[in-house]
Amino acid sequence: MPVLHLDIAAFRRAVLAWFDASGRTFPFRGTTDPYLVLVSETLLQQTQISRGGPAWVTFTRQFPTVESLAAATPARVLRAWRGLGYNRRAVNLQRTARIVVGEMGGVFPPDVAALERLPGIGPYTARAVASIAYRIPTGAVDTNVRRVLGRVLTGDPARLRPKELQASADILVDPDQPDHWTHALMDIGSTLCRPTRPICPDCPVVSMCRYAAGERPTTLAQGSRPGSRSGRARTRTGDFKLTTRWLRGRILDRLREAPGPAWTTFAEPIGGHDRAAIRTSLRAMERDGLLELEDPPDNPPDGAAASRSGGSAPAVPRARLPIA
């Protein structure tokens, strides 16, 4: 077990002392309401933490309780989620709220396995909610925590298999302050133990870290290959507009701008996407619960007759945000 070389008690003291002195402050820290914790963790999955705090405040003002989120229309939730990306997260968040209210009496389950069975809640999010809201001593492992523990224990996070990493995280978590522990490791990973150019001299566990002692990876870290940054830059600029993700975002923007439950017709290309691509995305988004769709067939039985008589134009799909 990789943790055997550590003085675990000293490791915990160093991490928590650093957090007491240098931990970051965000609006969502301090709450133990599992619903509010879940909202913050869902927001932060693909949102920079600097934006996540204000977004959490705005979202929870509209939906302050799990009951208020469960009772809202999906359309209202999706409008509130605008600009936060990965809109299926909002749909799953509301699905979870409706299950908790409708089947669990409004109380989130206080154990990891039950939390993982809820829509959109994976191993990390379940452990984050359990440790922060219920103070259950379980190790929540996100990318930052994986890097911190991987470097401390082996010098290279890639040397730890996922099960080894999770087992080590569960052993190391402070049993008395699992909530602070979860925040502390995330902060160390984000501010000091960075993917490149880590600030090792300021790290509270530098004396216990195998990476700091020189046991470095022999190959470049994933995501740091030469050319990877320029590749990401290309994706973020022109090429991104050719992706399905970009198209889905533009479709949702149009639906959000429509008044109330009004339908929006999709008769013209969007960017470089033709009507066939738009229809494919609309159908996929309907399956994901992101919209309601009326999609008439391209060639109705009487279409030929209508065409010969100079009749109606080809049928086009129309959609709106879900209202139920």
Side-chain angles (χ1 to χ4, degrees):
M1 176 62 66
V3 300
L4 293 180
H5 81 279
L6 275 183
D7 181 335
I8 294 176
F11 183 76
R12 290 170 178 165
R13 286 195 300 271
V15 168
L16 291 174
W18 177 89
F19 182 70
D20 287 343
S22 305
R24 296 176 296 179
T25 300
F26 297 107
F28 46 80
R29 286 192 175 170
T31 182
T32 58
D33 182 328
Y35 163 69
L36 296 177
V37 173
L38 176 60
V39 172
S40 71
E41 293 298 333
T42 304
L43 276 168
L44 294 175
Q45 285 172 18
Q46 295 292 340
T47 304
Q48 291 182 345
I49 199 165
S50 60
R51 294 180 56 230
W56 180 84
V57 170
T58 299
F59 189 86
T60 55
R61 279 175 180 165
Q62 294 188 61
F63 310 107
T65 64
V66 66
E67 290 82 7
S68 63
L69 184 64
T73 65
R76 186 179 169 212
V77 175
L78 286 166
R79 286 190 171 101
W81 202 261
R82 184 168 191 166
L84 299 176
Y86 292 89
N87 293 282
R88 288 181 64 182
R89 290 181 297 153
V91 172
N92 283 332
L93 185 61
Q94 186 177 45
R95 286 173 174 165
T96 284
R98 289 182 168 181
I99 291 171
V100 170
V101 171
E103 301 177 16
M104 301 178 177
V107 179
F108 279 82
D111 68 271
V112 170
L115 286 166
E116 282 193 63
R117 288 194 287 270
L118 293 169
I121 298 183
Y124 162 75
T125 302
R127 286 168 172 80
V129 172
S131 63
I132 296 169
Y134 291 116
R135 303 191 76 186
I136 294 171
T138 184
V141 180
D142 70 347
T143 302
N144 286 318
V145 174
R146 177 180 184 273
R147 188 167 56 253
V148 173
L149 296 186
R151 284 174 170 173
V152 168
L153 298 176
T154 69
D156 180 3
R159 294 175 186 159
L160 279 176
R161 294 190 299 271
K163 287 185 178 180
E164 287 181 312
L165 177 61
Q166 186 60 64
S168 298
D170 289 338
I171 291 171
L172 292 173
V173 61
D174 186 89
D176 299 320
Q177 300 182 69
D179 48 347
H180 288 186
W181 181 263
T182 298
H183 293 317
L185 286 184
M186 292 177 190
D187 282 4
I188 291 171
S190 179
T191 63
L192 301 177
C193 193
R194 301 179 303 194
T196 59
R197 295 188 295 276
I199 310 174
C200 294
D202 293 346
C203 180
V205 294
V206 62
S207 65
M208 311 175 202
C209 179
R210 289 189 168 177
Y211 179 93
E215 297 185 38
R216 307 292 175 87
T218 56
T219 58
L220 288 170
Q222 184 178 4
S224 300
R225 295 183 300 273
S228 63
R229 178 173 297 180
S230 60
R232 290 194 299 269
R234 286 194 300 272
T235 300
R236 292 192 186 108
T237 54
D239 290 352
F240 181 55
K241 292 185 178 181
L242 301 178
T243 64
T244 299
R245 181 181 167 194
W246 181 88
L247 175 59
R248 285 166 65 109
R250 303 295 77 71
I251 289 172
L252 271 180
D253 284 346
R254 290 192 180 187
L255 300 185
R256 288 181 172 117
E257 291 164 2
W263 293 89
T264 298
T265 300
F266 292 87
E268 303 295 334
I270 299 176
H273 300 269
D274 60 17
R275 287 180 56 196
I278 293 168
R279 177 165 277 164
T280 297
S281 286
L282 287 169
R283 290 171 176 170
M285 293 168 74
E286 181 188 32
R287 291 193 297 271
D288 291 342
L290 293 169
L291 54 79
E292 295 178 8
L293 177 64
E294 287 189 354
D295 187 15
D298 283 322
N299 298 301
D302 59 347
S307 177
R308 286 193 298 272
S309 64
S312 60
V316 295
R318 65 177 192 164
R320 68 180 178 185
L321 295 177
I323 61 174

